[in-house]
């Protein structure tokens, strides 16, 4: 194979080859990091919340007035909701998973001020919270109706909590957490009475995703979450909101939303980012392909007489095709090597500056093969034109 003549030709015409190699390097860096970010976003959006989102309707409620009986209001609302045909269960709750709004605090496994702490996001809910949300209890028990505290005084710690398996692990390692007590920053202790498998945080982009717990507190203006048959969910949005509106004229009832819609809005920016990166990747690949076609066409036009001479002294059409394909492969390979360095440099910047994960090299072979394929396909057309050069015409003026 004519490697040495090809390299010699590339060195004599290094400007065009260098520009294409740099374009390929930039394309590789853009594609690799874009694919990595897109896959990371998709994996993040696939993480289960631990609740049956497709069953749930969420409605915010704000009662106006002073000295209101929170327990009586909550029980009356619950009766109205359960009377709706198609409603299976309902509970008040402080916030919802992946709603981008919630509460978080630091807790320790002992009352020692020097003990390490862990951040835990918490949900406040009622005795029907387990059934309504559809979360899986794996140890201990759920809150009894008598344990729910309505309108608790500020600063009064809960006596009991149900934690996720991840929270239990963060606090007590492999020990059985049921019956153990953990402490807040002021030294107040709370007993763990149950463990649920998973329950995500209200936010997905910071903190330990499953470091959460549930507390038996109900406040006046906590929102309602209602469990319904998924097939009838959309049809029940307004009846649920109407039932809450009819309970009192002195209250504001928000627009009812499905929990799936809330999650979709939370991930809306990531979906838009993925679409934008896909468009950018597509445009960069197309531009690179056009650049390769342009360089190859220019190279063929410049070396038309050279090709004709080679044909005249015995080179076959296959030899001419192979020559240009190998030439492109060498340029593409040089760009790929430079692109690898650039890709990992960009990823290092993203890791150190924006705390993104390190680049997983598992899909690098696919990108490399793809760039080789694009380069060869882009060269194939001009190379076929070179094959068709008539030796007599190309060498007429030699």
């Amino acid at each position: 194979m004519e490697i040495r003549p090809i390299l010699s030709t590339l060195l004599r015409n290094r400007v065009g080859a260098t520009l294409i190699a740099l374009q390929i390097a930039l394309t590789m860096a853009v594609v690799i990091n874009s694919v990595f970010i897109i896959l990371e976003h998709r994996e993040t959006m696939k993480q289960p919340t631990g609740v049956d989102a497709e069953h749930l309707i969420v409605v915010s409620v704000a009662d106006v007035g002073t000295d209101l009986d929170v327990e009586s209001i909550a029980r009356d609302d619950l009766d109205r909701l359960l009377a709706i045909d198609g409603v299976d269960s309902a509970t008040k709750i402080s916030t919802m998973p992946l709603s981008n709004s919630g509460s978080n605090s630091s807790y320790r496994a002992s009352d020692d001020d020097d003990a390490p702490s862990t951040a835990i996001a918490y949900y406040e809910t009622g005795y029907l919270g387990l059934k309504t949300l559809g979360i899986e209890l794996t140890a201990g028990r759920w809150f009894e109706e008598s344990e729910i505290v309505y309108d608790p005084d500020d600063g009064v710690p809960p006596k009991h909590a149900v934690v996720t398996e991840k929270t239990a692990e963060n606090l007590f390692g492999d020990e059985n957490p049921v019956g153990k007590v953990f402490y807040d920053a002021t030294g107040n202790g709370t007993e763990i009475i149950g463990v649920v498998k998973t329950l995500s945080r209200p936010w997905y982009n910071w903190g330990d995703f499953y470091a959460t717990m549930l507390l038996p507190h109900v406040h006046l203006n906590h929102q309602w979450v209602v469990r319904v048959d998924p097939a009838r969910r959309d049809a029940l949005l307004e009846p649920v909101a109407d039932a809450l509106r009819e309970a009192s004229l002195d209250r504001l009832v928000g627009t009812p939303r499905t929990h799936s819609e809330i999650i979709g809005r939370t991930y809306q920016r990531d979906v838009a980012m993925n679409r934008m990166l896909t468009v950018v990747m597509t445009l960069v690949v197309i531009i690179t392909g056009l650049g390769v076609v342009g360089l190859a066409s220019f190279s063929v036009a410049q070396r038309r007489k050279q090709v004709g001479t080679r044909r005249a002294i015995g080179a076959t059409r296959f030899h001419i095709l192979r020559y240009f394909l190998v030439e492109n492969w060498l340029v593409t390979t040089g760009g790929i090597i430079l692109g690898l360095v650039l890709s990992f440099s960009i990823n290092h910047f993203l890791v150190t500056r924006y705390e993104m994960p390190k680049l997983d090299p598992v899909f690098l072979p696919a990108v490399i093969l793809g760039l080789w394929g694009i380069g060869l396909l882009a060269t194939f057309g001009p190379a076929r034109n070179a094959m068709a050069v008539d030796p007599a015409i190309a060498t007429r003026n030699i």
Side-chain angles (χ1 to χ4, degrees):
M1 192 177 292
E2 320 89 330
I3 297 294
R4 291 183 64 183
I6 292 173
L7 291 175
S8 178
T9 302
L10 289 174
L11 289 174
R12 289 196 303 271
N13 302 276
R14 63 174 64 94
V15 175
T18 300
L19 290 175
I20 292 299
L22 289 173
Q23 192 173 4
I24 290 171
L26 180 60
T27 299
M28 184 172 189
V30 170
V31 169
I32 285 178
N33 282 282
S34 295
V35 169
F36 180 65
I37 291 172
I38 288 172
L39 293 178
E40 282 295 313
H41 285 171
R42 288 182 177 176
E43 287 301 311
T44 297
M45 289 187 283
K46 286 181 181 178
Q47 294 180 104
T49 61
V51 305
D52 295 333
E54 67 277 6
H55 289 261
L56 303 179
I57 295 172
V58 182
V59 188
S60 60
V61 177
D63 284 281
V64 180
T66 58
D67 299 325
L68 299 176
D69 188 334
V70 177
E71 183 174 358
S72 295
I73 294 173
R75 291 185 181 278
D76 179 62
D77 285 348
L78 180 60
D79 290 340
R80 290 174 180 272
L81 292 171
L82 294 180
I84 300 173
D85 182 32
V87 171
D88 297 328
S89 182
T91 188
K92 269 184 168 289
I93 193 167
S94 56
T95 187
M96 290 295 290
L98 294 180
S99 63
N100 266 338
S101 175
S103 301
N104 183 88
S105 192
S106 295
Y107 297 88
R108 303 186 301 267
S110 75
D111 57 358
D112 184 355
D113 291 340
D114 296 327
S117 63
T118 183
I120 305 174
Y122 59 88
Y123 298 89
E124 297 175 305
T125 189
Y127 69 96
L128 290 177
L130 183 72
K131 178 182 178 182
T132 304
L133 298 174
I135 46 185
E136 181 184 352
L137 189 69
T138 59
R141 64 176 179 85
W142 184 251
F143 307 120
E144 296 178 358
E145 186 174 357
S146 60
E147 292 173 328
I148 305 301
V149 180
Y150 292 88
D151 197 23
D153 295 331
D154 292 338
V156 176
K159 294 181 179 180
H160 305 113
V162 173
V163 303
T164 60
E165 291 180 351
K166 184 61 179 177
T167 299
E169 178 186 338
N170 291 346
L171 286 170
F172 301 107
D174 295 332
E175 299 178 37
N176 180 7
V178 178
K180 290 186 177 296
V181 177
F182 63 96
Y183 299 86
D184 62 20
T186 60
N188 295 311
T190 299
E191 180 187 358
I192 296 175
I193 63 169
V195 179
V196 295
K197 187 172 182 60
T198 56
L199 179 63
S200 70
R201 296 166 70 89
W203 324 272
Y204 72 95
N205 52 1
W206 68 275
D208 195 329
F209 192 64
Y210 292 117
T212 61
M213 65 178 175
L214 299 115
L215 306 175
H217 285 176
V218 170
H219 290 267
L220 177 64
N221 291 327
H222 277 172
Q223 59 194 339
W224 277 99
V225 56
V226 183
R227 184 181 184 88
V228 299
D229 182 349
R232 301 181 60 188
R233 183 187 61 182
D234 293 343
L236 288 171
L237 286 170
E238 286 307 320
V240 164
D242 290 341
L244 293 172
R245 292 189 187 102
E246 292 167 0
S248 173
L249 296 176
D250 297 324
R251 65 171 17 174
L252 301 174
V253 178
T255 302
R257 292 187 174 90
T258 67
H259 190 213
S260 300
E261 179 186 355
I262 293 172
I263 294 174
R265 290 190 176 190
T266 297
Y267 285 135
Q268 192 171 20
R269 185 174 60 180
D270 296 82
V271 172
M273 175 68 74
N274 285 359
R275 290 174 180 170
M276 183 189 72
L277 290 175
T278 300
V279 171
V280 169
M281 283 193 303
T282 303
L283 291 175
V284 168
V285 169
I286 290 173
I287 292 170
T288 299
L290 292 175
V292 173
V293 171
L295 177 65
S297 299
F298 179 73
S299 180
V300 169
Q302 267 195 327
R303 289 181 279 177
R304 187 177 179 83
K305 292 182 179 179
Q306 176 188 340
V307 171
T309 302
R310 291 196 61 199
R311 290 292 314 280
I313 62 177
T316 65
R317 289 173 177 265
F318 172 75
H319 290 148
I320 301 301
L321 178 65
R322 184 181 66 183
Y323 180 93
F324 284 101
L325 291 180
V326 171
E327 182 181 76
N328 172 269
W329 183 85
L330 290 173
V331 173
T332 302
T333 300
I336 287 173
I337 293 172
L338 180 60
L340 285 172
V341 176
L342 187 58
S343 298
F344 282 98
S345 299
I346 292 175
N347 179 251
H348 178 72
F349 170 78
L350 294 175
V351 169
T352 54
R353 187 69 179 269
Y354 298 104
E355 298 182 354
M356 291 192 64
K358 290 185 178 180
L359 185 65
D360 187 350
V362 68
F363 55 85
L364 291 183
V367 176
I368 292 172
L369 290 174
L371 287 174
W372 274 335
I374 291 169
L376 293 176
L377 286 173
T379 308
F380 189 75
R384 286 193 64 186
N385 293 334
M387 289 168 50
V389 171
D390 188 328
I393 295 175
T395 59
R396 183 178 295 169
N397 296 324
I398 293 180

